[in-house]
Structure formats: C-alpha cells, structure tokens
Amino acid sequence: MTAPPSGRQMPTVLDQRIETAVGYSLEELRRHRDGGLLDAPHAALADAHRDLVAGERDVTFYRVRLARLASSELPVDQALFARIDRTLDQLAKAADVRDAKQTTAAAALEAIEAAAPRQAPRQVATQDVAALLAIAQGAKLHEHLVTHRLAVATPSRTRISYAQLQRLEAMGLVERDTAHPVQGGQPVTLTDAGRAALTAPRRAGPPGTTPCPCRRPSPLSPVHAAERRVRAARTAPQASRPKAPMPSYEPDFRLDGYEAVNDHVADQFWGHIGIEQDMMTVLAEHHSDDAEHSFYLMHNGAVTWGIPGEPQIVALHLKRDPATRTYRFAHEELPLPSMAQSWLIARGCPEEKILLPGGMGTTLANEATRALEQRLRSDGDHFALLTSYTHDSDPIRTTVMLRALDEKAALPFRVLLEEVDSTAWTHTLREGGFETFEAATQWWEAHWNGERPPLPATRLATAVPGLPARPALPRGPSR
C-alpha cells in the first residue's frame, strides 16, 4: 500500500491564501519558523498550518486504506466488512480533527490578512545578514572580566563585534536584555524589524547587499552532510546536472501490492517509517533473491530538527510474505552506522551487502577506527545500549554508553566516542572501558562539560551494541 504524501507535499485548502498573505512560499514559511525568524502572528500561522497539514495527511492515510479495502484484490467476507467499518470510523475522526485544525489555521490567517501591510524592510548588508542569522539562533553580549572587552557570542561562532552590534541596534534590527549584567551575558534577540529583514524576499541591489539565506544553518553529522550533498545534486538546475540520470537515495520499500499483516503493523509502519520517508536517505540496502527480506541502513534527516542528541541512523528489516501479499517489519534507531549494520547483520543481512559505499559520509582517519568499526559490526550481541548523544554541529561528535550482558565482564561499561574532523572530512572512533556505571557517568558528564578527559584503555576481546536495551538513562548533555 502506497504511503500518503509527506507533510511538506500535502496540499490544503488554505495554501494559496497563506502564500498570498505572507508573500512567499509555504516552504519558506516553514524554514523561517524553524529558524526562529517570524513574529508572533506569522509563527502562529506557521504552526497552525503545520498542524493542518498533519490532519490532512491523516485523512489521506485512511482514504488510501479505505480505497485499498474496497478494491477487488481482497476476498469479500465478514473480516473485510469489519475492517471497512473500522477504517470508516477512523476516517471520520481524522476528518473532524482536520476540520478543527483548519478552523484554527483560518483564524490565524485572517489575523494577518486583516493587519496593515508591513513596511518593506530595508536591504541589509551581507555581513549584517550573517550576524542576524547567527543572533536568531541565540546570542549574548559578554564583557571579559580581565580585559573588559565587549563581544557577542553565538552558537555558530559567527564573529559579531560590539561596533556591529551597536549598528544593528541603531537600525532597530536587534535588542538587548539589559536586565542581565554583561559579565554574565546579556541576551541579544531580533526585533520584528530584524525578522522582517531576513524573511522578506530579497531584491537585487547595489554592492554590499546579498540575497537572504533564509534557512538557518542545519546541523551536519557525517552522513547528514553527505545526504545534503546528494539532495542538492538532485535539486540542482538542469543545466548543472550530469547527463546521466542521478540515482534516487530516498528509500523504495518495494511494497507495491503488499499490505501490512494487520492494522497495528500498518499504523506502526506509518508512524515510525512512512511519515518521515521523504526525509530519509538510504546509505545502504540489500534485498534477498526471493524478495522476502529487505534490509535498509538510512539516515533520518527529520531527527536533526527534533530533540537534540537523538540517534539519527535507522536500521529497517522488512519481511514480506508473497503468498498472502502482506509484510511485517522491525526497526531500530541507533547513533552509529556500524551499530545499525550490526543490528541488520544479526537479522540475516550479509555484512558485505550493507557496508557504506565510497563517498558516503566521512572517511576513516586511521586503522584503529577501521578495526573498531569492523568489531562493532561482527559482535552484535555482547553489549546493550544504555544511552547516546549525537552533537551534529561543529565540533561534530557522538558518544555511546554500553553495558556488558556478561555479568562477569572485567570492564562491563563501555563508552564509544566518534569525532569528526570537518576540515579533513575524516572521523575517528575510540572506545573506553569502565568498571562501574558511576565511573562511566563521571567521564560522560566531564566530557560534555568541556573537560575532555581521556578514555581509559580496554581489552581487545570485547564486542558491541547490537540488541539495544534501555534501562534508566544517565544524565546527558543538552543544548
């Protein structure tokens, strides 16, 4: 059964009115919202439209299911009637929810339509555009305790001098919260005029102006960066594309003519996989000769906009029954590709079929990293995953905490640390061993607090995470 379109592709009855009211596309509206560049009314409209799209997507999902049930492919029996009745009820409830969300979105849109047109924002110099984008992600003005120099700190490390900040303030584009002392940091935020300067369409102008890069810099893990390059190539102007057709890296689950073995599996597949299918990039895949099994190693780009630190790699095992034209699935979200490969290998996928192709992600920095990743793939049943954290903006690094399943293990707690050199485009993977959970947690907290303690050595006869089991999580970093 074909999955409904993704949230970004699902049309609604308000789309044209919204684009007319805001002056740019819905995709730009969503980018501005994700980047924190909208004023309160426009942010409310963006949120309401996102909810409406979700409601419309659910309605479409049940419509597709109902059409499938009403086709001539299934036997007509009492079980079919029961499924049709249940789907009709679900469709009616989804339509009620969609209608309520449409009313909310319409009210938010009417507030913007009724407001006086905003004054056309001034064109902003290139360096000021970069400063405003950095400030939109959060910024503070600090005074050095020794030198008493004033400077603005931003998460993206964009350089903003105090003189430039004063100029932006004089232009009415930013403001400071002077209730905080500069020694501790005064928060700097965009004003409505500053947001308008970034979100308004940019027109050609004299030297010193530039089109506004409306999307905030997105975090880049190694595979996410490769995914971005792939998607950029697929959406580049036709003249710049190679003559040979570009491969599609969006997953094809080969489920045409197949239906989930039951409604629960259908709902779970849609909720975990189908709903974000268009944001997933296939890193490697393998299909059995009899077409009964498919194994996918994927990167989920949607995770980078969700809860910070969550694992971004998805391992998926699809199991089809050609006789009944039904499917089941199992999946796991893991922090490292080698861990996801281990999970797939443990379920019958040949190791050589699920390796990352050349050019996908960063390259290995040394032989020790190669050996450790090889061991992670081959020994997938000795350790359980406790927690992980993926920091996908520079400096890019991922930490993973494991617990030995063998209670007699000398060093039962392990930490994996992957670090990326974004200049050389390489990565290293190291492992540390700890006798107690407390010792592993102390290292973990010290590392994410900036102390960067060395990892203690481990013995070679170890193994790795393959069957994740999640007990109570230790305190992890946040951003």
Side-chain angles (χ1 to χ4, degrees):
M1 180 172 63
T2 303
S6 70
R8 295 189 304 163
Q9 300 172 335
M10 185 68 63
T12 75
V13 297
L14 297 179
D15 289 355
Q16 186 173 356
R17 282 180 58 191
I18 292 175
E19 290 184 341
T20 300
V22 301
Y24 41 81
S25 69
L26 292 168
E27 185 65 22
E28 288 179 293
L29 179 67
R30 180 168 296 184
R31 291 179 198 160
H32 297 332
R33 180 66 179 102
D34 292 338
L37 303 178
L38 299 178
D39 57 22
H42 286 76
L45 176 60
D47 292 340
H49 180 262
R50 193 188 298 265
D51 291 341
L52 175 58
V53 167
E56 198 71 61
R57 184 177 60 235
D58 291 342
V59 169
T60 301
F61 174 67
Y62 291 115
R63 288 179 64 185
V64 171
R65 175 182 290 181
L66 185 62
R68 176 72 176 85
L69 293 174
S71 68
S72 59
E73 301 178 15
L74 301 175
V76 178
D77 53 21
Q78 293 301 317
L80 175 63
F81 297 149
R83 295 180 65 185
I84 290 176
D85 289 342
R86 183 165 59 253
T87 302
L88 281 171
D89 290 340
Q90 293 169 330
L91 177 60
K93 293 177 181 177
D96 289 341
V97 172
R98 186 273 317 274
D99 292 345
K101 293 178 177 179
Q102 182 172 310
T103 300
T104 302
L109 175 59
E110 289 169 1
I112 292 177
E113 291 175 332
R118 293 185 296 175
Q119 183 178 1
R122 71 187 74 185
Q123 293 291 286
V124 180
T126 301
Q127 61 180 359
D128 291 338
V129 168
L132 292 176
L133 284 170
I135 291 171
Q137 300 175 60
K140 287 186 177 182
L141 175 67
H142 289 272
E143 179 184 12
H144 196 278
L145 294 177
V146 178
T147 65
H148 300 289
R149 295 184 61 181
L150 293 168
V152 179
T154 67
S156 62
R157 293 182 172 84
T158 300
R159 295 177 179 269
I160 303 175
S161 66
Y162 183 55
Q164 185 179 14
L165 175 64
Q166 288 180 307
R167 184 173 68 254
L168 295 175
E169 286 184 306
M171 296 167 64
L173 301 178
V174 301
E175 59 185 0
R176 280 184 284 161
D177 184 355
T178 56
H180 294 77
V182 289
Q183 292 83 1
Q186 287 184 345
V188 181
T189 57
L190 298 180
T191 63
D192 287 345
R195 296 186 186 93
L198 289 180
T199 59
R202 301 282 291 175
R203 60 183 182 275
T209 64
T210 184
C212 167
C214 295
R215 187 181 181 93
R216 70 178 174 92
S218 63
L220 296 178
S221 66
V223 290
H224 189 209
E227 172 193 353
R228 286 282 297 278
R229 295 199 300 270
V230 168
R231 293 184 183 275
R234 285 159 51 197
T235 57
Q238 189 65 32
S240 65
R241 293 187 182 183
K243 293 183 178 180
M246 289 292 294
S248 173
Y249 288 86
E250 185 172 325
D252 176 8
F253 296 129
R254 304 188 181 191
L255 293 177
D256 290 344
Y258 281 84
E259 186 178 38
V261 69
N262 55 49
D263 289 345
H264 176 71
V265 171
D267 292 342
Q268 290 295 307
F269 187 80
W270 172 246
H272 291 288
I273 304 296
I275 195 171
E276 294 174 342
Q277 178 176 345
D278 71 311
M279 293 297 292
M280 293 187 184
T281 299
V282 174
L283 308 178
E285 62 183 296
H286 171 66
H287 310 278
S288 62
D289 294 338
D290 57 11
E292 292 187 9
H293 298 269
S294 288
F295 304 90
Y296 296 86
L297 179 68
M298 301 178 291
H299 176 258
N300 187 357
V303 177
T304 65
W305 300 101
I307 300 173
E310 289 294 285
Q312 300 176 4
I313 306 300
V314 177
L316 172 65
H317 178 201
L318 277 173
K319 295 175 285 185
R320 306 179 189 85
D321 185 346
T324 61
R325 308 296 290 179
T326 59
Y327 72 88
R328 299 177 182 270
F329 80 102
H331 85 292
E332 195 65 56
E333 298 168 358
L334 295 161
L336 298 175
S338 52
M339 296 174 66
Q341 290 165 336
S342 174
W343 188 89
L344 293 169
I345 292 168
R347 281 154 181 77
C349 181
E351 178 179 357
E352 67 277 7
K353 299 294 186 180
I354 207 66
L355 300 179
L356 296 182
M360 182 66 75
T362 52
T363 58
L364 301 169
N366 50 49
E367 285 301 317
T369 296
R370 184 187 305 276
L372 180 53
E373 289 187 350
Q374 171 65 33
R375 183 159 54 79
L376 292 180
R377 290 194 297 269
S378 61
D379 296 329
D381 56 355
H382 296 91
F383 279 74
L385 174 63
L386 294 182
T387 189
S388 69
Y389 192 90
T390 299
H391 185 272
D392 49 14
S393 59
D394 210 17
I396 303 168
R397 61 188 187 273
T398 298
T399 53
V400 182
M401 186 181 296
L402 312 170
R403 172 68 162 92
L405 300 180
D406 182 3
E407 296 182 355
K408 298 181 180 180
L411 298 172
F413 294 93
R414 300 297 171 91
V415 170
L416 301 175
L417 172 61
E418 182 186 74
E419 295 181 294
V420 175
D421 184 337
S422 57
T423 301
W425 205 241
T426 60
H427 71 273
T428 58
L429 182 64
R430 292 177 289 148
E431 180 185 32
F434 301 86
E435 293 184 1
T436 65
F437 176 76
E438 289 73 17
T441 302
Q442 288 174 4
W443 182 95
W444 183 283
E445 294 185 345
H447 174 84
W448 287 109
N449 286 334
E451 299 176 23
R452 309 301 295 275
L455 276 170
T458 64
R459 298 178 182 177
L460 293 179
T462 59
V464 285
L467 306 175
R470 297 179 181 270
L473 298 180
R475 288 186 293 132
S478 62
R479 59 177 172 90

PDB file of all heavy atoms in Angstrom, residues 10-18 49 52 56 98 102 106 109:
ATOM      1  N   MET A  10       1.765  17.654   1.220  1.00  0.00           N
ATOM      2  CA  MET A  10       0.320  17.523   1.349  1.00  0.00           C
ATOM      3  C   MET A  10      -0.363  18.880   1.182  1.00  0.00           C
ATOM      4  O   MET A  10      -0.130  19.800   1.954  1.00  0.00           O
ATOM      5  CB  MET A  10      -0.013  16.944   2.733  1.00  0.00           C
ATOM      6  CG  MET A  10      -1.485  16.665   2.920  1.00  0.00           C
ATOM      7  SD  MET A  10      -2.051  15.322   1.866  1.00  0.00           S
ATOM      8  CE  MET A  10      -1.077  13.970   2.518  1.00  0.00           C
ATOM      9  N   PRO A  11      -1.191  19.059   0.159  1.00  0.00           N
ATOM     10  CA  PRO A  11      -1.863  20.351  -0.038  1.00  0.00           C
ATOM     11  C   PRO A  11      -3.049  20.509   0.909  1.00  0.00           C
ATOM     12  O   PRO A  11      -3.639  19.532   1.377  1.00  0.00           O
ATOM     13  CB  PRO A  11      -2.322  20.270  -1.493  1.00  0.00           C
ATOM     14  CG  PRO A  11      -2.537  18.801  -1.738  1.00  0.00           C
ATOM     15  CD  PRO A  11      -1.488  18.094  -0.919  1.00  0.00           C
ATOM     16  N   THR A  12      -3.387  21.772   1.184  1.00  0.00           N
ATOM     17  CA  THR A  12      -4.569  22.090   1.978  1.00  0.00           C
ATOM     18  C   THR A  12      -5.342  23.196   1.268  1.00  0.00           C
ATOM     19  O   THR A  12      -4.824  23.851   0.354  1.00  0.00           O
ATOM     20  CB  THR A  12      -4.189  22.563   3.399  1.00  0.00           C
ATOM     21  OG1 THR A  12      -3.679  23.897   3.330  1.00  0.00           O
ATOM     22  CG2 THR A  12      -3.150  21.653   4.035  1.00  0.00           C
ATOM     23  N   VAL A  13      -6.564  23.440   1.707  1.00  0.00           N
ATOM     24  CA  VAL A  13      -7.409  24.434   1.048  1.00  0.00           C
ATOM     25  C   VAL A  13      -6.935  25.856   1.320  1.00  0.00           C
ATOM     26  O   VAL A  13      -7.367  26.797   0.645  1.00  0.00           O
ATOM     27  CB  VAL A  13      -8.875  24.271   1.508  1.00  0.00           C
ATOM     28  CG1 VAL A  13      -9.421  22.927   1.107  1.00  0.00           C
ATOM     29  CG2 VAL A  13      -8.997  24.468   3.018  1.00  0.00           C
ATOM     30  N   LEU A  14      -6.051  26.048   2.294  1.00  0.00           N
ATOM     31  CA  LEU A  14      -5.608  27.395   2.662  1.00  0.00           C
ATOM     32  C   LEU A  14      -4.254  27.759   2.063  1.00  0.00           C
ATOM     33  O   LEU A  14      -3.761  28.874   2.268  1.00  0.00           O
ATOM     34  CB  LEU A  14      -5.529  27.521   4.186  1.00  0.00           C
ATOM     35  CG  LEU A  14      -6.835  27.359   4.957  1.00  0.00           C
ATOM     36  CD1 LEU A  14      -6.580  27.482   6.457  1.00  0.00           C
ATOM     37  CD2 LEU A  14      -7.863  28.389   4.510  1.00  0.00           C
ATOM     38  N   ASP A  15      -3.624  26.862   1.317  1.00  0.00           N
ATOM     39  CA  ASP A  15      -2.256  27.081   0.865  1.00  0.00           C
ATOM     40  C   ASP A  15      -2.110  28.369   0.059  1.00  0.00           C
ATOM     41  O   ASP A  15      -1.216  29.184   0.321  1.00  0.00           O
ATOM     42  CB  ASP A  15      -1.783  25.891   0.031  1.00  0.00           C
ATOM     43  CG  ASP A  15      -1.560  24.651   0.880  1.00  0.00           C
ATOM     44  OD1 ASP A  15      -1.683  24.761   2.119  1.00  0.00           O
ATOM     45  OD2 ASP A  15      -1.274  23.591   0.312  1.00  0.00           O
ATOM     46  N   GLN A  16      -2.967  28.570  -0.948  1.00  0.00           N
ATOM     47  CA  GLN A  16      -2.830  29.734  -1.810  1.00  0.00           C
ATOM     48  C   GLN A  16      -3.058  31.032  -1.029  1.00  0.00           C
ATOM     49  O   GLN A  16      -2.337  32.019  -1.221  1.00  0.00           O
ATOM     50  CB  GLN A  16      -3.807  29.642  -2.985  1.00  0.00           C
ATOM     51  CG  GLN A  16      -3.632  30.755  -4.009  1.00  0.00           C
ATOM     52  CD  GLN A  16      -4.493  30.541  -5.245  1.00  0.00           C
ATOM     53  OE1 GLN A  16      -5.167  29.533  -5.370  1.00  0.00           O
ATOM     54  NE2 GLN A  16      -4.466  31.503  -6.158  1.00  0.00           N
ATOM     55  N   ARG A  17      -4.055  31.046  -0.139  1.00  0.00           N
ATOM     56  CA  ARG A  17      -4.309  32.243   0.661  1.00  0.00           C
ATOM     57  C   ARG A  17      -3.126  32.570   1.560  1.00  0.00           C
ATOM     58  O   ARG A  17      -2.762  33.743   1.725  1.00  0.00           O
ATOM     59  CB  ARG A  17      -5.568  32.055   1.507  1.00  0.00           C
ATOM     60  CG  ARG A  17      -6.881  32.211   0.759  1.00  0.00           C
ATOM     61  CD  ARG A  17      -8.049  31.998   1.709  1.00  0.00           C
ATOM     62  NE  ARG A  17      -8.014  32.935   2.831  1.00  0.00           N
ATOM     63  CZ  ARG A  17      -8.796  32.822   3.917  1.00  0.00           C
ATOM     64  NH1 ARG A  17      -9.642  31.795   4.024  1.00  0.00           N
ATOM     65  NH2 ARG A  17      -8.720  33.717   4.889  1.00  0.00           N
ATOM     66  N   ILE A  18      -2.522  31.545   2.126  1.00  0.00           N
ATOM     67  CA  ILE A  18      -1.392  31.780   3.025  1.00  0.00           C
ATOM     68  C   ILE A  18      -0.219  32.369   2.254  1.00  0.00           C
ATOM     69  O   ILE A  18       0.415  33.341   2.692  1.00  0.00           O
ATOM     70  CB  ILE A  18      -0.990  30.469   3.738  1.00  0.00           C
ATOM     71  CG1 ILE A  18      -2.094  30.044   4.714  1.00  0.00           C
ATOM     72  CG2 ILE A  18       0.334  30.633   4.476  1.00  0.00           C
ATOM     73  CD1 ILE A  18      -1.847  28.712   5.380  1.00  0.00           C
ATOM     74  N   HIS A  49      -0.641  25.961  10.309  1.00  0.00           N
ATOM     75  CA  HIS A  49      -0.602  25.298   9.010  1.00  0.00           C
ATOM     76  C   HIS A  49       0.086  23.938   9.102  1.00  0.00           C
ATOM     77  O   HIS A  49      -0.343  22.969   8.475  1.00  0.00           O
ATOM     78  CB  HIS A  49       0.123  26.170   7.981  1.00  0.00           C
ATOM     79  CG  HIS A  49       0.199  25.542   6.632  1.00  0.00           C
ATOM     80  ND1 HIS A  49       1.318  24.866   6.187  1.00  0.00           N
ATOM     81  CD2 HIS A  49      -0.720  25.448   5.631  1.00  0.00           C
ATOM     82  CE1 HIS A  49       1.092  24.403   4.976  1.00  0.00           C
ATOM     83  NE2 HIS A  49      -0.132  24.749   4.611  1.00  0.00           N
ATOM     84  N   LEU A  52      -2.430  21.644  10.408  1.00  0.00           N
ATOM     85  CA  LEU A  52      -3.432  21.350   9.384  1.00  0.00           C
ATOM     86  C   LEU A  52      -2.900  20.330   8.385  1.00  0.00           C
ATOM     87  O   LEU A  52      -3.620  19.413   7.966  1.00  0.00           O
ATOM     88  CB  LEU A  52      -3.828  22.643   8.666  1.00  0.00           C
ATOM     89  CG  LEU A  52      -4.789  22.487   7.474  1.00  0.00           C
ATOM     90  CD1 LEU A  52      -6.087  21.803   7.890  1.00  0.00           C
ATOM     91  CD2 LEU A  52      -5.074  23.847   6.851  1.00  0.00           C
ATOM     92  N   GLU A  56      -4.510  16.787   7.471  1.00  0.00           N
ATOM     93  CA  GLU A  56      -4.835  16.401   6.098  1.00  0.00           C
ATOM     94  C   GLU A  56      -4.123  15.104   5.721  1.00  0.00           C
ATOM     95  O   GLU A  56      -4.676  14.258   5.002  1.00  0.00           O
ATOM     96  CB  GLU A  56      -4.413  17.521   5.148  1.00  0.00           C
ATOM     97  CG  GLU A  56      -5.062  17.457   3.777  1.00  0.00           C
ATOM     98  CD  GLU A  56      -6.540  17.808   3.814  1.00  0.00           C
ATOM     99  OE1 GLU A  56      -6.877  18.937   4.211  1.00  0.00           O
ATOM    100  OE2 GLU A  56      -7.353  16.918   3.458  1.00  0.00           O
ATOM    101  N   ARG A  98      -9.119  17.227  11.401  1.00  0.00           N
ATOM    102  CA  ARG A  98      -8.629  18.095  10.327  1.00  0.00           C
ATOM    103  C   ARG A  98      -9.456  19.372  10.226  1.00  0.00           C
ATOM    104  O   ARG A  98      -8.918  20.479  10.063  1.00  0.00           O
ATOM    105  CB  ARG A  98      -8.676  17.318   9.018  1.00  0.00           C
ATOM    106  CG  ARG A  98      -8.073  18.005   7.779  1.00  0.00           C
ATOM    107  CD  ARG A  98      -9.063  18.893   7.037  1.00  0.00           C
ATOM    108  NE  ARG A  98     -10.366  18.309   6.887  1.00  0.00           N
ATOM    109  CZ  ARG A  98     -10.707  17.495   5.885  1.00  0.00           C
ATOM    110  NH1 ARG A  98      -9.816  17.183   4.958  1.00  0.00           N
ATOM    111  NH2 ARG A  98     -11.947  17.007   5.805  1.00  0.00           N
ATOM    112  N   GLN A 102      -8.242  23.173  10.614  1.00  0.00           N
ATOM    113  CA  GLN A 102      -8.444  24.130   9.526  1.00  0.00           C
ATOM    114  C   GLN A 102      -9.078  25.415  10.049  1.00  0.00           C
ATOM    115  O   GLN A 102      -8.722  26.520   9.612  1.00  0.00           O
ATOM    116  CB  GLN A 102      -9.328  23.499   8.452  1.00  0.00           C
ATOM    117  CG  GLN A 102      -9.568  24.374   7.238  1.00  0.00           C
ATOM    118  CD  GLN A 102     -10.280  23.626   6.135  1.00  0.00           C
ATOM    119  OE1 GLN A 102      -9.874  22.538   5.752  1.00  0.00           O
ATOM    120  NE2 GLN A 102     -11.368  24.207   5.621  1.00  0.00           N
ATOM    121  N   ALA A 106      -7.323  29.020   9.759  1.00  0.00           N
ATOM    122  CA  ALA A 106      -8.037  30.106   9.091  1.00  0.00           C
ATOM    123  C   ALA A 106      -8.093  31.343   9.984  1.00  0.00           C
ATOM    124  O   ALA A 106      -7.951  32.480   9.508  1.00  0.00           O
ATOM    125  CB  ALA A 106      -9.444  29.664   8.709  1.00  0.00           C
ATOM    126  N   LEU A 109      -4.761  32.979   9.909  1.00  0.00           N
ATOM    127  CA  LEU A 109      -4.559  33.632   8.621  1.00  0.00           C
ATOM    128  C   LEU A 109      -5.355  34.927   8.527  1.00  0.00           C
ATOM    129  O   LEU A 109      -4.849  35.954   8.024  1.00  0.00           O
ATOM    130  CB  LEU A 109      -4.970  32.675   7.501  1.00  0.00           C
ATOM    131  CG  LEU A 109      -4.942  33.223   6.085  1.00  0.00           C
ATOM    132  CD1 LEU A 109      -3.549  33.715   5.721  1.00  0.00           C
ATOM    133  CD2 LEU A 109      -5.419  32.159   5.098  1.00  0.00           C
TER     134      LEU A 109
END
